[in-house]
Amino acid sequence: MKMLIEKGTLVTAEGTRPGDLLIEAGRIAAVGTHGAFEDLCRETDCERIDAGGCYVMAGGVDVHTHMEMPFGATNSSDTFETGTRAAAYGGTTTIVDFAMQRRGQTLQEGFDAWRARAEGHCSVDYGFHLIISEVTDGVLKEMESLVAQGVTSFKLFMAYPGMFYLNDGEIFSVMQRAAEIGALVMLHAENGLVIDVLAAQAMAGGNTAPRFHGTTRPPELEAEATHRGIALAALAQSPLYFVHLSAAGALQEVTAAKDRGAQVFAETCPHYLFLDATDMDREGFEGAKFVCSPPLREPGNEEDLWEGLARGDLSVVATDHCPFCMAGQKELGSDDFRAIPNGVPGIEHRMDLLYQGVRAGRLSLARWSEIASTAPAKLFGLYPEKGSLSPGSDADIVIYDPAERHVLSAASHHMAVDYSIYEGSEIVGAVRDVILGGKVIVYRGDYKGAPGDGRFKARARWQADS
Ligand code: URP
Ligand code: ZN
Ligand code: ZN
């Protein structure tokens, strides 16, 4: 059966216009002016969705999530089932999660383990990056096989010695190999060796509270690592993508590299745009709710990030959704901030929060759609199936009502975590309907999908004009 989404305002990376979408066999069949498909829909069976007064956009693409991710002594609290259902509620129709090679494992073993966890459980489409935790000749060789299976990006850590940390030589070797095989290297840029020294000194001085997570990971160590990563990638002639860029100094390094013509890209996350280091100072152990890496930065820093997004030096906003409950998880670090699992929840609120940026005049509607959907789809080999409202694209669509109001709260969100970092925040605008491959999975704010609606997406290799 055909579906007609009519009377809405189409919002794409190119701009906005009134328009109707015709959907057939899970894809966008045609795009026209209001009423353009009236005759066709009168003659044939056609499900109609009235989008009057709403924005009609390509489904959100969140390229940074961690479902069921092991971190220290625990795992992130959203499963693929709960986390992707929350994504659907929030207007995200594709995620790219991080599979992980553990030390001693092949890359294939890491990918297979994560794929098995996700298969049949996801409400939205999903792909994988792969975290490389150990670099050997075998791993470098094996990267090509993962790329051939649609895992075309690899995350490397300059932080977390003893866990994920790789040294510069290892990072450089992966970059060289990525350049050969059409893969994109994603970098967690913080100088983990120096952070560990500062963290040990803080603990020795009796400074155990959550806020010392922030003071021992200063922005200088993100800027330094960003600078180093850019230099290594230039030498390796490899494209480079910085995950969760948090600070003005790191952004300056990315801006300078872009000005030199380097193939360097960066994402930031909603929590760096809407929260700051003062949240880690909250009473008692409350600050643990906000512990993530890089940490939240000093008030005022977010202005640079918004400007970077508007200018295009920041290409993407992804959530780095990595939730841990306060009960039994964050509280593992009640005597030692180093034991607080790093990460915050956010997959459900990205579209809403960014829309507040539109309302505040920080982003255009077109840029909202671009940073939440089109740009990540292009950078990670999902375009034009994802991130586009063109004929032939997957019918992954969000109908967004700019007039609806709601309040973010742990009592009403759908993520499997016992607190909200945005508790009590008022949002103007709401995801009304969500369509995945032509199937309505959220209707008037209610979930209508099922685990297994989402399919694994093999992603294309990196292309220089992404
Ligand atoms: O604190 C964070 N960001 N946790 C998730 C792991 C990572 O580094 O992305
Ligand atoms: Zn990271
Ligand atoms: Zn992450």
Side-chain angles (χ1 to χ4, degrees):
M1 188 159 93
K2 294 186 177 60
M3 181 187 281
L4 179 67
I5 301 176
E6 56 182 346
K7 302 178 186 165
T9 299
L10 306 183
V11 176
T12 68
E14 288 80 43
T16 62
R17 64 192 161 110
D20 291 354
L21 293 181
L22 189 69
I23 294 170
E24 205 172 351
R27 293 181 188 270
I28 296 174
V31 185
T33 54
H34 284 168
F37 309 113
E38 200 46 52
D39 290 348
L40 188 88
C41 280
R42 213 174 292 121
E43 285 159 20
T44 54
D45 216 5
C46 213
E47 181 183 351
R48 286 168 181 263
I49 298 186
D50 185 337
C54 293
Y55 299 129
V56 177
M57 314 166 66
V61 178
D62 189 344
V63 291
H64 193 150
T65 71
H66 302 278
M67 308 302 173
E68 309 176 31
M69 180 192 169
F71 194 99
T74 191
N75 285 357
S76 61
S77 58
D78 258 320
T79 61
F80 280 93
E81 181 171 336
T82 60
T84 59
R85 189 165 56 230
Y89 272 109
T92 287
T93 50
T94 305
I95 63 163
V96 188
D97 200 84
F98 287 86
M100 187 192 296
Q101 173 226 19
R102 292 168 182 278
R103 285 167 190 235
Q105 274 189 333
T106 63
L107 301 183
Q108 189 68 46
E109 283 167 337
F111 173 44
D112 289 347
W114 255 259
R115 201 166 166 182
R117 290 177 192 195
E119 196 95 49
H121 297 292
C122 292
S123 289
V124 302
D125 285 349
Y126 59 97
F128 289 106
H129 319 283
L130 194 71
I131 292 171
I132 300 183
S133 303
E134 188 177 36
V135 179
T136 62
D137 287 347
V139 163
L140 292 171
K141 191 154 176 276
E142 199 193 358
M143 284 170 64
E144 163 79 78
S145 155
L146 273 291
V147 167
Q149 295 170 71
V151 179
T152 55
S153 39
F154 297 91
K155 181 176 177 186
L156 313 179
F157 285 81
M158 294 171 133
Y160 303 122
M163 205 170 10
F164 304 126
Y165 171 84
L166 298 179
N167 69 38
D168 290 352
E170 292 165 333
I171 289 170
F172 182 68
S173 303
V174 174
M175 286 174 166
Q176 283 185 318
R177 183 75 175 130
E180 277 169 18
I181 62 175
L184 180 59
V185 170
M186 309 168 78
L187 210 51
H188 178 133
E190 286 187 294
N191 187 323
L193 296 175
V194 177
I195 286 167
D196 274 9
V197 173
L198 293 175
Q201 288 170 352
M203 281 302 294
N207 297 319
T208 62
R211 71 191 177 88
F212 295 103
H213 171 81
T215 57
T216 58
R217 306 181 88 97
E220 289 84 351
L221 294 183
E222 185 181 357
E224 182 278 325
T226 304
H227 181 91
R228 191 158 31 103
I230 289 169
L232 297 178
L235 209 57
Q237 298 186 311
S238 149
L240 181 58
Y241 179 95
F242 288 100
V243 288
H244 48 48
L245 186 146
S246 74
L251 176 57
Q252 278 165 18
E253 298 290 345
V254 170
T255 301
K258 279 181 164 307
D259 289 348
R260 294 193 297 271
Q263 294 229 300
V264 169
F265 307 90
E267 73 179 21
T268 191
C269 310
H271 41 278
Y272 302 121
L273 296 167
F274 289 93
L275 304 171
D276 60 54
T278 60
D279 288 302
M280 279 185 295
D281 286 338
R282 292 194 191 191
E283 284 282 289
F285 191 59
E286 284 291 284
K289 291 178 175 172
F290 304 90
V291 165
C292 60
S293 293
L296 301 179
R297 300 303 187 187
E298 290 305 314
N301 174 75
E302 75 283 359
E303 291 299 332
D304 290 73
L305 301 182
W306 281 113
E307 283 167 21
L309 278 171
R311 263 198 328 266
D313 288 333
L314 291 170
S315 304
V316 170
V317 175
T319 58
D320 193 6
H321 176 71
C322 192
F324 297 97
C325 289
M326 282 295 272
Q329 297 197 295
K330 290 283 187 181
E331 68 185 18
L332 291 168
S334 53
D335 299 325
D336 180 347
F337 66 86
R338 295 174 300 181
I340 301 171
N342 287 196
V344 294
I347 198 165
E348 194 168 342
H349 304 316
R350 187 178 62 125
M351 300 300 267
D352 275 340
L353 288 166
L354 289 177
Y355 184 60
Q356 308 318 294
V358 175
R359 293 191 73 251
R362 295 179 184 276
L363 301 173
S364 67
L365 284 166
R367 188 74 182 131
W368 174 38
S369 175
E370 186 169 31
I371 60 182
S373 180
T374 309
K378 284 184 174 173
L379 283 164
F380 289 96
L382 290 161
Y383 187 85
E385 286 80 12
K386 308 295 184 191
S388 167
L389 290 183
S390 304
S393 295
D394 287 357
D396 296 354
I397 291 155
V398 173
I399 300 178
Y400 195 86
D401 183 347
E404 187 71 37
R405 288 166 183 265
H406 61 123
V407 174
L408 305 185
S409 171
S412 54
H413 73 204
H414 302 90
M415 301 174 285
V417 60
D418 59 3
Y419 72 95
S420 172
I421 52 175
Y422 304 108
E423 187 66 43
S425 297
E426 289 191 45
I427 298 289
V428 179
V431 173
R432 197 192 77 176
D433 310 309
V434 181
I435 296 159
L436 176 76
K439 176 180 172 180
V440 177
I441 59 169
V442 175
Y443 184 71
R444 310 279 172 183
D446 288 333
Y447 179 69
K448 302 289 178 193
D453 283 343
R455 303 282 168 82
F456 171 71
K457 293 287 153 186
R459 295 180 293 111
R461 288 172 201 252
W462 164 260
Q463 283 183 341
D465 59 354
S466 293

